Amino acid sequence: MLLGLCVTKSLALGGDGWSNTRLKVEHQYTDYNSYRYPPPIPPEYPETVWLQYDPYIADFPEHRTLVRLTQAFGPKDVMQIRWQYSDLTDNKNQRLYFVQYAHDVHPMMNIFANYQYLRQPGWLSGWMTTVGARFNRSGWILAEFDMGYIRNRVYSIATDTAGVHPVAGSEHTVETYAPMASFRYSFDGSTAASLRWDGSFARSSSGNVDSHALTMTMSRHLPTRTALHLLYRFYDNSAGVQSHSSSFEVAQYILWNLTARVSYRYYENGFDDPALAVNLERGAVHSNSFTLWSEYHIRADLKLHLKLRRYESNQSIRMNTYLLGFEWTI
């Protein structure tokens, strides 16, 4: 990391302000303060193996660390490198590596390409590449389109004939095509609306799953230096899963260097086939989450941010998340 900072510092030499380096570091901790294992346990996974391998619901506490380095090369080119580590249990941890290069082909047009690699030992490994373009007409009209390709190797769990001791399982490859398109329009200097569509088309030997998500957002800035954001998201896939999510956020600019945000999100899902929800209490997930977020500029080139999040669901889960980080322009 020290070597990386020294290299990027040399690239940022010059007083024109076009070649700067931004470093972002944050750490997030999430833990349950209340949860009950959702019955029934699937028969193909005896309880001893199921708990030993820690399904996602039992994976917490989680420590997640993110380091992001953004380097500008003049007024038109920007490179971003990101590393993220998620420490769940000895059997489950994730490492994510990400690199992106963006270039301004026009004052209102930007193109970009990125690559990321994800590894979760014994469970999942894969990579994703994305190319896209952004259009920005002085903030009044924002449009973006990108196409992603994901290739994952997924490893399954198997047990011995007694159904107790884990043995080597099989693996299969999943290919996913993920297009995205979004459009945002400002009606005036204080009101804007946006519409975003995300598609996912997964192909594997075990079957194909297509999904679509539509997100609508309305934003309003008030004379009190307050911003209101309303959001609604609908998700549907060919496996018979649908979900609805609605949220609102209030952002208050307290001082020139201090911002506070409060948000609430409600989520619910449903299944065409009740058998898909056999492990869920009351056959579906309904959840509420509350988030407090603040950003404080210690000085013009150094910003601290803090997030507190409370999550509750009808699956007898109560969860807290704490995040602390900073962003430094070198």
Side-chain angles (χ1 to χ4, degrees):
M1 177 58 69
L2 289 176
L3 177 60
L5 287 177
C6 291
V7 172
T8 53
K9 181 66 175 178
S10 66
L11 293 174
L13 293 178
D16 58 4
W18 290 118
S19 301
N20 59 42
T21 304
R22 282 183 294 150
L23 173 65
K24 179 179 181 180
V25 178
E26 64 183 29
H27 182 78
Q28 176 174 292
Y29 173 76
T30 302
D31 194 8
Y32 291 117
N33 67 338
S34 173
Y35 91 94
R36 181 162 57 87
Y37 193 83
I41 296 172
E44 65 269 25
Y45 294 109
E47 183 173 2
T48 54
V49 175
W50 185 257
L51 295 180
Q52 177 181 356
Y53 271 83
D54 294 334
Y56 187 78
I57 193 173
D59 273 343
F60 291 88
E62 178 196 18
H63 290 270
R64 182 181 65 81
T65 301
L66 180 144
V67 179
R68 187 185 73 190
L69 199 63
T70 305
Q71 175 64 50
F73 301 96
K76 294 185 177 182
D77 298 276
V78 177
M79 173 178 283
Q80 183 183 117
I81 300 173
R82 185 169 76 234
W83 172 80
Q84 181 176 310
Y85 176 73
S86 176
D87 182 16
L88 292 166
T89 68
D90 292 338
N91 292 327
K92 279 192 177 181
N93 53 71
Q94 290 184 351
R95 294 170 176 84
L96 175 66
Y97 307 89
F98 174 92
V99 59
Q100 176 173 280
Y101 201 92
H103 174 70
D104 290 342
V105 296
H106 185 272
M108 293 188 296
M109 177 68 72
N110 171 275
I111 59 174
F112 62 91
N114 60 52
Y115 173 85
Q116 59 181 321
Y117 174 75
L118 173 68
R119 178 169 175 76
Q120 183 174 315
W123 294 78
L124 171 69
S125 66
W127 56 270
M128 175 180 180
T129 183
T130 304
V131 294
R134 302 184 183 96
F135 175 83
N136 184 351
R137 186 175 180 180
S138 303
W140 290 95
I141 298 177
L142 301 176
E144 179 177 344
F145 172 81
D146 64 51
M147 171 61 76
Y149 173 76
I150 308 168
R151 187 177 181 88
N152 287 329
R153 294 173 63 192
V154 182
Y155 308 93
S156 63
I157 304 173
T159 61
D160 59 12
T161 54
V164 176
H165 301 290
V167 297
S170 61
E171 66 176 69
H172 64 280
T173 300
V174 180
E175 293 182 299
T176 304
Y177 299 89
M180 187 281 294
S182 67
F183 180 81
R184 181 179 183 271
Y185 179 76
S186 296
F187 299 97
D188 51 41
S190 60
T191 306
S194 65
L195 183 66
R196 170 172 172 154
W197 169 77
D198 290 270
S200 176
F201 305 91
R203 302 292 180 262
S204 70
S205 58
S206 59
N208 303 331
V209 177
D210 299 337
S211 65
H212 304 270
L214 192 64
T215 305
M216 295 171 284
T217 306
M218 179 68 73
S219 300
R220 175 74 177 179
H221 290 262
L222 304 177
T224 55
R225 297 191 299 179
T226 305
L228 304 178
H229 306 285
L230 302 177
L231 182 146
Y232 173 78
R233 183 176 187 269
F234 172 75
Y235 170 88
D236 177 75
N237 71 23
S238 58
V241 180
Q242 300 86 34
S243 70
H244 301 265
S245 174
S246 56
S247 64
F248 73 86
E249 179 185 85
V250 180
Q252 181 65 51
Y253 303 94
I254 302 172
L255 300 170
W256 73 267
N257 61 342
L258 179 61
T259 303
R261 302 172 186 268
V262 179
S263 65
Y264 164 78
R265 178 177 181 264
Y266 174 77
Y267 170 88
E268 67 175 47
N269 69 2
F271 304 88
D272 290 343
D273 183 0
L276 296 174
V278 66
N279 297 314
L280 298 178
E281 297 181 16
R282 292 177 286 278
V285 175
H286 294 198
S287 68
N288 298 275
S289 62
F290 303 85
T291 303
L292 299 176
W293 176 277
S294 66
E295 295 181 347
Y296 175 63
H297 288 263
I298 297 178
R299 52 181 199 247
D301 62 345
L302 182 59
K303 177 177 67 175
L304 297 180
H305 53 270
L306 171 69
K307 181 176 77 172
L308 305 175
R309 179 175 178 263
R310 173 70 173 180
Y311 172 92
E312 300 182 357
S313 81
N314 66 336
Q315 305 301 304
S316 302
I317 297 174
R318 305 291 183 270
M319 185 168 63
N320 298 312
T321 298
Y322 313 90
L323 181 147
L324 178 64
F326 72 88
E327 188 166 348
W328 179 29
T329 300
I330 303 172

